[in-house]
């Protein structure tokens, strides 16, 4: 805790400008229902995705026979802006191919259980961020968070 005494007519504005930093507000969550507590609300899902609001999880894949992938996504990006992404993975198959993408970029490949976190700058035409399953297995996640830096 910092204690500041104001004396000799020095106001708070002068004290603030002399080196004390203001607390910045945390950036808001951009993903609607990022923790799946409301099932599929806010998500665009390409077949073979299961939302479980009771357990707060989302299972992506495996893709249906004849389909190349299963995916969840939201259109929350603005081109040229930088974002922090955090995905909490409950179960990922070692035999799978799980990618995080925008319309123009491969952002990350998920290979292990636990939290996957990274930052990126959206391409000028990027609006949507997706988590994809391109394998015969599935991935189960607890949350998918995106915040502007």
């Amino acid at each position: 805790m910092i204690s500041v005494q104001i004396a000799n007519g020095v106001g708070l504005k002068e004290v603030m400008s002399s080196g004390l930093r203001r607390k910045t507000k945390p950036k808001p969550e951009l993903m609607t229902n990022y923790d799946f507590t409301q099932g599929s609300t806010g998500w665009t899902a390409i077949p073979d995705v299961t939302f479980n609001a009771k357990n707060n999880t989302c299972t992506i894949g495996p893709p249906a026979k004849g389909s190349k992938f299963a995916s969840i996504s939201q259109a929350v990006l603005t081109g040229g802006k930088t974002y922090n992404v955090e995905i909490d993975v409950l179960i990922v198959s070692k035999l799978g191919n799980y990618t995080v993408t925008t319309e123009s970029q491969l952002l990350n490949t998920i290979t292990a259980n636990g939290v996957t976190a990274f930052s990126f700058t959206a391409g000028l035409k990027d609006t949507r961020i997706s988590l994809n399953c391109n394998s015969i297995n599935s991935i189960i996640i607890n949350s998918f968070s995106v915040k502007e830096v």
Side-chain angles (χ1 to χ4, degrees), residues 23-39:
K23 271 189 164 181
T24 57
K25 291 182 182 179
K27 296 287 185 172
E29 177 60 51
L30 297 177
M31 300 296 256
T32 299
N33 188 27
Y34 78 98
D35 59 0
F36 310 109
T37 55
Q38 298 170 17

Side-chain angles (χ1 to χ4, degrees), residues 14-94:
E14 287 82 11
V15 172
M16 293 295 290
S17 66
S18 69
L20 293 179
R21 293 181 163 221
R22 293 183 183 159
K23 271 189 164 181
T24 57
K25 291 182 182 179
K27 296 287 185 172
E29 177 60 51
L30 297 177
M31 300 296 256
T32 299
N33 188 27
Y34 78 98
D35 59 0
F36 310 109
T37 55
Q38 298 170 17
S40 62
T41 301
W43 293 96
T44 298
I46 294 186
D48 308 307
V49 175
T50 303
F51 294 93
N52 188 333
K54 182 178 178 185
N55 295 325
N56 298 357
T57 61
C58 175
T59 303
I60 305 163
K65 187 175 183 176
S67 180
K68 294 185 179 183
F69 66 96
S71 174
I72 61 169
S73 67
Q74 287 190 25
V76 297
L77 306 178
T78 300
K81 293 192 175 187
T82 302
Y83 299 91
N84 289 328
V85 176
E86 191 172 286
I87 301 171
D88 184 7
V89 178
L90 181 64
I91 300 172
V92 64
S93 169
K94 299 292 183 201

Side-chain angles (χ1 to χ4, degrees), residues 70-134:
S71 174
I72 61 169
S73 67
Q74 287 190 25
V76 297
L77 306 178
T78 300
K81 293 192 175 187
T82 302
Y83 299 91
N84 289 328
V85 176
E86 191 172 286
I87 301 171
D88 184 7
V89 178
L90 181 64
I91 300 172
V92 64
S93 169
K94 299 292 183 201
L95 302 173
N97 180 16
Y98 313 101
T99 58
V100 183
T101 61
T102 65
E103 290 95 338
S104 69
Q105 302 176 68
L106 169 62
L107 303 175
N108 206 317
T109 299
I110 297 175
T111 58
N113 298 344
V115 175
T116 296
F118 59 93
S119 297
F120 75 100
T121 300
L124 293 179
K125 294 185 179 184
D126 288 341
T127 60
R128 186 168 292 280
I129 186 166
S130 304
L131 175 56
N132 313 292
C133 171
N134 305 316

